[in-house]
Amino acid sequence: MTLEQLRIFVAVAEREHLTQAAEALNLTPSAVSSAIRVVEERYGIALFHRTGRRIELTETGHAFLPEARATLARAESTDLFLTEIGGLKRGTLTLAASQTVGAYWLPPLLISFHAAYPAIDMRVGSGNTEQVAEAVLEGRVELGFVEGAIDHPALSQRTVARDRVVVVAPAGHPLLGKPVEPADLLAAHWVLREAGSGTRGALTAALAARGVDEASLDITLSLPSNEAVRSAVLAGGALTAISELAVADDLASGRLARIAFDLPERAFRLLRHKERYRSKASLALEALLPT
């Protein structure tokens, strides 16, 4: 099996769509389909179910996907090692960041890195905290930046900045300007980030410290981005917990206001796999981080 066939399999598996995978790989759909068929025929297996226009991973395909990703990651690491013998004159740095970090804290760092090392191609993915940690563990990215707590023995963690999650409401909300009791939180409507996000996790922990189970909240919507949450709260009368960075302008203008429910400060963390090769590009980026 070739690395190209592995790349094609992973691209199709992640999208479950031949045409989208072909576009991402700059190949024709027929070439992608042929590559998958060659692998299946060679090993006498089915990697995908094909039902009409749909394509879905079989149980065998699901089992093979982590191995395929790991093999590609190892091949990229080997290529990177040889490339870097000549120094940081070219190469690739793969990163992933959870949404709050990626949208509000990381961009200036990336601009500084590009100014210092313009020949390094940075590939930056996004997801929630759990998804970023998974990408680092599987070797799909070399470095991850998250705002949530991660507990995994294979990951090294370094605090690079601090942030605060605030509970906010639109102007005129009845909880503004008064002491907030657990009963008030349970009676309110909420719009929150999705489960697995660092922001949601910070709220869950703070509620538990006050004796409130998050499952008891009246959650109107769970949304996958800070901007979606912010827009929904501005459009209605719900509360939310969100990074202060994400609503700084709204707080300054008075469109949103903080209610009297304090959450502890949290850390933005850099994640790295303890046992994987540390590229020169990644070390150069780390050197730009605040100490």
Side-chain angles (χ1 to χ4, degrees), residues 98-105 147 163 193 199 226 243 266 268:
S98 54
Q99 290 192 23
T100 302
V101 181
Y104 303 101
W105 180 84
E147 73 263 17
D163 178 43
R193 284 285 306 278
T199 300
N226 290 327
S243 168
R266 64 177 178 173
F268 287 169

Side-chain angles (χ1 to χ4, degrees), residues 39-57:
V39 174
E40 291 178 322
E41 291 176 353
R42 176 175 180 179
Y43 295 99
I45 56 173
L47 296 171
F48 295 96
H49 295 296
R50 297 165 177 81
T51 55
R53 293 188 176 182
R54 297 187 61 189
I55 183 166
E56 300 174 345
L57 281 169

Side-chain angles (χ1 to χ4, degrees), residues 16-28:
E16 293 194 332
H17 199 287
L18 281 173
T19 301
Q20 291 177 7
E23 291 174 352
L25 296 167
N26 198 27
L27 297 171
T28 64

Side-chain angles (χ1 to χ4, degrees), residues 4 14 19 43 117 192 211 226 243 285:
E4 181 67 8
E14 290 179 342
T19 301
Y43 295 99
Y117 306 101
L192 297 176
N226 290 327
S243 168
L285 179 66

Side-chain angles (χ1 to χ4, degrees), residues 242-261:
I242 194 167
S243 168
E244 196 168 24
L245 293 171
V247 290
D249 290 344
D250 297 308
L251 293 173
S253 69
R255 291 189 295 268
L256 295 175
R258 295 174 58 165
I259 71 164
F261 183 74

Side-chain angles (χ1 to χ4, degrees), residues 203-226:
L203 175 65
T204 301
L207 290 171
R210 296 280 294 270
V212 178
D213 183 357
E214 186 208 75
S216 301
L217 296 182
D218 180 5
I219 302 174
T220 304
L221 290 170
S222 292
L223 297 170
S225 73
N226 290 327

Side-chain angles (χ1 to χ4, degrees), residues 104-122:
Y104 303 101
W105 180 84
L106 186 59
L109 175 67
L110 299 183
I111 291 296
S112 296
F113 181 82
H114 177 71
Y117 306 101
I120 302 298
D121 178 24
M122 288 182 290

Side-chain angles (χ1 to χ4, degrees), residues 8 32 43 52 58 63 65 69 72 106 116 128 133 140 190 233 257 269 281:
I8 290 171
V32 169
Y43 295 99
T58 62
L65 182 56
R69 284 172 169 163
L72 288 175
L106 186 59
N128 62 35
R140 287 182 278 132
W190 292 80
V233 171
R269 295 180 174 90

